[in-house]
Amino acid sequence: TIELFKEIELDQPMHKRNIVTSFVEGGHTKYAPLDESKSASLEFHIETVTDDPVYMYIPSDFPREMKLTVKGAAMGTYMANETHRIKKLGDFEEGMGITVNLTIGDELKVYIKDRDLPKQYFYYLDKELFEEVMPRLQDSVCKITEHSATELKGSVNIKDGDTTLFTTIPYDEGWHVKIDGKDAETEKTVDSLLCVKIAPGEHDIE
């Protein structure tokens, strides 16, 4: 296993401002304002260990909008609509202290899946390792020749020893794959993406 994203540990416990907590289903903690007339926020402190890009992900099965600031600079919202995702916080120098603040939004509550899980919210991308391993994937990249909203066609040269064609297409039973004109069985990988078994050599993909 090659870990491109490496954890940055909190250098002090999460700080709660005007917050009351309670436990709810699915290993979540509910965070809500103690005084609803005042701002309520969660504050995290980390110290960078390299000068690589820093990322954040806060797990929740019940995302609620929060306002995000990093080192005092506003960075929009988090957990709202399409913003509940891995979020790049920026590029910082090694050894820099970073304060990340999440302020509870208009719904006056947030749920974080943090019980029975390690509190691993912050990571850096190991760029040196990334640049070392990415060329390996380019050796068998699929060359797309035609594409539309519902169809892709292309060719690929699979190296000896490789067995799986991996895509970034979200897995869905509605997708069908043909290899050299023959139906191939699709599979789900990393809990979300479409892949298919394939033999070494040159192949046409549809």
Side-chain angles (χ1 to χ4, degrees):
T1 300
I2 297 173
E3 293 186 351
L4 295 174
F5 290 89
K6 298 178 178 177
E7 182 190 1
I8 305 174
E9 295 183 0
L10 297 176
D11 61 8
Q12 54 185 276
M14 177 177 67
H15 186 65
K16 298 183 286 290
R17 298 180 185 276
N18 185 35
I19 292 284
V20 62
T21 62
S22 58
F23 298 133
V24 294
E25 64 181 76
H28 290 73
T29 300
K30 176 184 175 182
Y31 297 88
L34 184 62
D35 181 346
E36 293 186 358
S37 67
K38 298 179 180 178
S39 175
S41 62
L42 305 174
E43 192 170 274
F44 304 88
H45 295 271
I46 60 174
E47 184 174 315
T48 57
V49 294
T50 71
D51 60 358
D52 293 315
V54 175
Y55 295 81
M56 176 187 77
Y57 179 72
I58 308 293
S60 176
D61 292 339
F62 317 107
R64 301 288 190 275
E65 180 174 299
M66 306 182 80
K67 296 177 183 177
L68 171 65
T69 61
V70 179
K71 291 179 65 67
M75 293 189 67
T77 60
Y78 189 71
M79 288 196 188
N81 300 318
E82 299 299 318
T83 66
H84 189 213
R85 53 184 170 80
I86 298 171
K87 173 76 173 177
K88 183 179 180 182
L89 301 183
D91 298 275
F92 306 96
E93 295 179 0
E94 180 179 351
M96 180 176 287
I98 300 172
T99 299
V100 178
N101 189 282
L102 288 166
T103 302
I104 293 177
D106 294 339
E107 294 185 70
L108 299 179
K109 57 182 176 291
V110 294
Y111 302 92
I112 296 179
K113 196 171 187 178
D114 54 7
R115 290 163 56 208
D116 306 320
L117 287 174
K119 294 175 176 57
Q120 298 175 345
Y121 304 139
F122 301 94
Y123 297 82
Y124 68 91
L125 171 64
D126 188 332
K127 290 194 296 186
E128 183 177 350
L129 181 59
F130 177 87
E131 291 168 0
E132 176 188 334
V133 301
M134 285 303 106
R136 302 184 203 174
L137 297 181
Q138 293 176 335
D139 289 343
S140 296
V141 67
C142 186
K143 297 177 178 64
I144 303 299
T145 56
E146 297 180 41
H147 65 88
S148 69
T150 59
E151 188 175 33
L152 294 168
K153 292 183 180 181
S155 62
V156 65
N157 184 12
I158 303 297
K159 296 187 301 182
D160 288 340
D162 289 345
T163 61
T164 304
L165 181 66
F166 172 94
T167 79
T168 54
I169 299 170
Y171 177 84
D172 187 280
E173 292 181 356
W175 285 109
H176 301 277
V177 177
K178 289 186 177 182
I179 300 175
D180 300 325
K182 298 179 180 179
D183 291 331
E185 184 176 353
T186 59
E187 299 179 11
K188 182 189 293 187
T189 186
V190 293
D191 294 327
S192 59
L193 301 178
L194 184 75
C195 72
V196 63
K197 295 297 183 186
I198 194 168
E202 291 272 1
H203 299 284
D204 291 324
I205 307 295
E206 181 179 351

